[in-house]
Amino acid sequence: MTQPAVTHPNMTIVDHPLVQHKLSLMRDARTPGPEFRRLLREISLLLTYEATRDLPLADRTIATPLTEMQAPMMDGPDPVVVSILRAGNGLLDGVLDVIPTARVGFVGLYRDEATLRPVQYYCKLPPEMSGRLVVAVDPMLATGNSSAAAVDLLKAAGATELCLICLLAAPEGVACMAQAHPDVRIVTASLDSHLNEKGYIVPGLGDAGDRIFGTV
Ligand code: URA
């Protein structure tokens, strides 16, 4: 797929073959819900690998069965993962598989289908967000309005180091985030072509929440 021209100071498109293969299976309209969910969890684990690349390490003394050594271990406060409801929950378990000590927050935003603007209905975040890596997860970066609004909330709660993991991004969403929150890193599996008139990502994969939760 040709990459649309959109710029963001800090976006990573994970072109690893495992991610791309799983994504193609997810795009296929015939892929049933249970497989869609499993693939999403697997991809979220692989995207988390990229998103956490700069987590600090410090050497600790451990004993292997053979000898003592200085071994690098994650250092600093536990990261926070924030699921942007409801579709973010499809990515949450994969993140927790690789960062089991992460604290978890939830932000509930629904999209007003007439205006495509986000409306907040829930927010529960761990305390002490400052100084931790805060990873927000939402499979679809479409208009970017929900993600930007969620990041507004996270920054208001003290988050200083933020990353957004999304499965698919539209150029419109990337541009919105670049304008509203250029400091927030984006990690995605694909930058798709465009949004259609209903705000769906094209070629996309349809409504992520419906496909995850079987509400089609
Ligand atoms: N949300 C979705 O679930 N799918 C899209 O294509 C856009 C927003």
Side-chain angles (χ1 to χ4, degrees):
M1 194 170 58
T2 341
Q3 290 290 308
V6 62
T7 53
H8 188 283
N10 203 359
M11 176 166 68
T12 305
I13 299 173
V14 181
D15 60 359
H16 192 287
L18 284 178
V19 171
Q20 293 305 314
H21 176 77
K22 290 174 194 297
L23 174 58
S24 299
L25 293 174
M26 292 184 73
R27 288 186 191 275
D28 190 329
R30 294 166 306 178
T31 298
E35 198 181 339
F36 187 91
R37 269 201 298 276
R38 180 182 58 77
L39 290 162
L40 183 57
R41 182 175 179 144
E42 289 172 2
I43 293 188
S44 82
L45 196 146
L46 298 166
L47 297 180
T48 304
Y49 171 84
E50 264 312 313
T52 53
R53 183 169 282 288
D54 296 326
L55 275 180
L57 293 173
D59 282 348
R60 303 260 185 275
T61 308
I62 62 160
T64 77
L66 303 179
T67 183
E68 272 199 355
M69 70 171 285
Q70 294 298 305
M73 310 268 257
M74 267 169 57
D75 193 40
D78 291 330
V80 173
V81 52
V82 178
S83 169
I84 302 176
L85 299 174
R86 72 184 161 144
N89 280 5
L91 292 160
L92 181 58
D93 285 342
V95 180
L96 291 175
D97 282 346
V98 274
I99 326 177
T101 56
R103 299 175 185 206
V104 180
F106 296 92
V107 171
L109 296 166
Y110 69 85
R111 188 164 64 152
D112 184 308
E113 291 303 333
T115 62
L116 303 185
R117 301 289 311 169
V119 182
Q120 183 195 323
Y121 62 91
Y122 187 74
C123 182
K124 182 76 180 169
L125 301 171
E128 297 157 29
M129 301 275 281
S130 168
R132 304 170 184 278
L133 175 64
V134 176
V135 181
V137 292
D138 188 351
M140 310 300 268
L141 178 58
T143 60
N145 293 333
S146 301
S147 300
V151 169
D152 285 339
L153 283 171
L154 299 178
K155 286 185 174 174
T160 47
E161 195 192 337
L162 276 144
C163 174
L164 172 68
I165 293 183
C166 52
L167 182 63
L168 297 185
E172 294 85 340
V174 172
C176 172
M177 286 298 288
Q179 220 235 323
H181 299 292
D183 55 309
V184 175
R185 184 172 173 216
I186 297 174
V187 175
T188 185
S190 176
L191 178 59
D192 273 16
S193 166
H194 62 279
L195 293 182
N196 71 10
E197 64 294 345
K198 291 190 172 155
Y200 280 91
I201 298 176
V202 182
L205 48 72
D207 187 301
D210 281 348
R211 293 195 65 188
I212 295 165
F213 298 113
T215 47
V216 195

